[in-house]
C-alpha cells in the first residue's frame, strides 16, 4: 500500500506557554488536494509552520511519504520535497523574476518531469514576458504566480499553499484556481489553506477543518458540500453551500 504523501499524527505545538495546536491529525494522499479550512485564528498557518519546520511540534509526528520529518529544520524539510507558497507571497522585491526562480532551483533525481525555468515560464506566460523585471514592480497577481513558480522550482513532492487568492481580483483568483487545477491534474499533492470557500471546494478532493487548534472534521469534499450546518458552525458561512 502506497504511503500517504503527507501525514500528521497527534501534533501539539506551542508559542511559548500558549498551546496552539491540539492533537492535530490528517493525511494527504498522493496526487490529491487537501483543503485545510477554518476561521481566522483557527491554527491553519501554525499547522503549515509545523510542517515546514518553522515551528517544531512539542509532540506528534509528521511524515512525508513515510519518512519522519518533524523536528528537522526548514532547509532539510525543503530538501526532502516540501514546497511552500507563503501567505503574502514574500517574493524578493529587488531581484528579477528570473532570479527569484533561479534562487529556488533544486534538483530531485526521482522527478519524472522536473520543473525547470523554461517549464515554469511556460506555465505562467505573463512572467515569461517580465523575466528581467524586478519582482517588486509586478502586480499582486503576478507576484502570486511568481511565488507558486518559485515553489515549483524546488521540484517538491508536496506543495503547501497558504491563502493563494488573498487580496487578488476575481479574474486573477480564477487564474490561480486554473493553475492549481493543472498542477493537480499533473499529479502534484497539495495542501491548500484558503478563505475563499468556493475556490477551495472546487479544487479539493479532501477537507480537514480546524477550530481553535483542533481538527473538528476530516472527510471528502462532497461530505462538506452536503453539510450546511458544518459549514455554518465552523466556517461562518451561511446560505447555499458553495
Amino acid at each position: 500500500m502506497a504511503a500517504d504523501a503527507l501525514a500528521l499524527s497527534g501534533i501539539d505545538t506551542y508559542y511559548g506557554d500558549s498551546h496552539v495546536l491540539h492533537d492535530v491529525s490528517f493525511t494527504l494522499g498522493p496526487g490529491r488536494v487537501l483543503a485545510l479550512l477554518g476561521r481566522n485564528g483557527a491554527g491553519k498557518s501554525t499547522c503549515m509552520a509545523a510542517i515546514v519546520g518553522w515551528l517544531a511540534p512539542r509532540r506528534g509526528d509528521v511524515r512525508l511519504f513515510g519518512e519522519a520529518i518533524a523536528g528537522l529544520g526548514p532547509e532539510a524539510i525543503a530538501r526532502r520535497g516540501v514546497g511552500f507558497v507563503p501567505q503574502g507571497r514574500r517574493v524578493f522585491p529587488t531581484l528579477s523574476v528570473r532570479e527569484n526562480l533561479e534562487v529556488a532551483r533544486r534538483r530531485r533525481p526521482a522527478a519524472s518531469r522536473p520543473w525547470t525555468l523554461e517549464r515554469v515560464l511556460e506555465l505562467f506566460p505573463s512572467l515569461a514576458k517580465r523575466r528581467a523585471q524586478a519582482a517588486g514592480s509586478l502586480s499582486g497577481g503576478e507576484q502570486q504566480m511568481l511565488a507558486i513558480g518559485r515553489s515549483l522550482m524546488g521540484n517538491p513532492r508536496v506543495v503547501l499553499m497558504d491563502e493563494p487568492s488573498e487580496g487578488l481580483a476575481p479574474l486573477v483568483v480564477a487564474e490561480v484556481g486554473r493553475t492549481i487545477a493543472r498542477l493537480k491534474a499533473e499529479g502534484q499533492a497539495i495542501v491548500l489553506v484558503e478563505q475563499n470557500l468556493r475556490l477551495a471546494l472546487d479544487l479539493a478532493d479532501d477537507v480537514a477543518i480546524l477550530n481553535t487548534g483542533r481538527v473538528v472534521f476530516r472527510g471528502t469534499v462532497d461530505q462538506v458540500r452536503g453539510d450546511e450546518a458544518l459549514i455554518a458552525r465552523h466556517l461562518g458561512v451561511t446560505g447555499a453551500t458553495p
Side-chain angles (χ1 to χ4, degrees):
M1 182 176 179
D4 290 314
L6 184 70
L8 277 67
S9 179
I11 293 295
D12 284 304
T13 63
Y14 291 73
Y15 286 118
D17 294 329
S18 179
H19 194 173
V20 182
L21 296 182
H22 304 258
D23 194 29
V24 168
S25 301
F26 61 78
T27 59
L28 168 68
R32 294 177 74 82
V33 174
L34 171 78
L36 183 60
L37 305 178
R39 298 173 188 257
N40 288 334
K44 305 182 299 296
S45 292
T46 301
C47 199
M48 296 289 224
I51 295 169
V52 301
W54 290 354
L55 180 65
R58 188 88 52 99
R59 286 181 291 274
D61 190 32
V62 181
R63 291 186 176 266
L64 178 70
F65 287 93
E67 179 185 5
I69 60 172
L72 298 179
E75 176 64 22
I77 290 173
R79 282 199 307 269
R80 282 162 173 77
V82 176
F84 187 38
V85 182
Q87 185 176 14
R89 300 177 274 278
R90 301 186 194 176
V91 299
F92 300 112
T94 61
L95 298 184
S96 69
V97 167
R98 178 175 184 138
E99 288 167 338
N100 266 271
L101 295 172
E102 290 283 12
V103 77
R105 183 191 295 272
R106 190 185 305 276
R107 300 185 187 279
R108 184 161 57 85
S112 58
R113 192 182 173 210
W115 287 98
T116 62
L117 177 66
E118 293 72 23
R119 190 175 171 213
V120 168
L121 293 178
E122 182 272 328
L123 180 64
F124 301 116
S126 64
L127 295 183
K129 298 173 185 176
R130 295 167 174 77
R131 68 180 71 193
Q133 189 171 325
S137 67
L138 299 176
S139 69
E142 289 166 342
Q143 288 188 21
Q144 186 61 66
M145 298 303 177
L146 180 56
I148 295 173
R150 184 178 59 189
S151 173
L152 295 176
M153 286 292 291
N155 280 288
R157 303 164 77 191
V158 168
V159 174
L160 313 179
M161 297 189 182
D162 196 354
E163 304 286 5
S165 78
E166 184 180 55
L168 302 181
L171 286 176
V172 183
V173 171
E175 186 177 356
V176 169
R178 287 191 294 271
T179 298
I180 297 172
R182 177 172 168 179
L183 295 176
K184 173 183 172 180
E186 293 186 5
Q188 179 68 63
I190 299 170
V191 177
L192 176 64
V193 169
E194 182 54 65
Q195 287 292 335
N196 184 325
L197 184 59
R198 184 179 298 277
L199 177 66
L201 298 186
D202 282 348
L203 293 168
D205 301 293
D206 306 293
V207 175
I209 299 178
L210 290 176
N211 194 340
T212 60
R214 296 171 172 84
V215 175
V216 294
F217 173 86
R218 287 181 295 175
T220 68
V221 69
D222 288 337
Q223 288 174 296
V224 175
R225 287 186 187 279
D227 194 338
E228 293 187 8
L230 175 77
I231 292 173
R233 184 165 62 252
H234 295 301
L235 302 177
V237 178
T238 57
T241 304

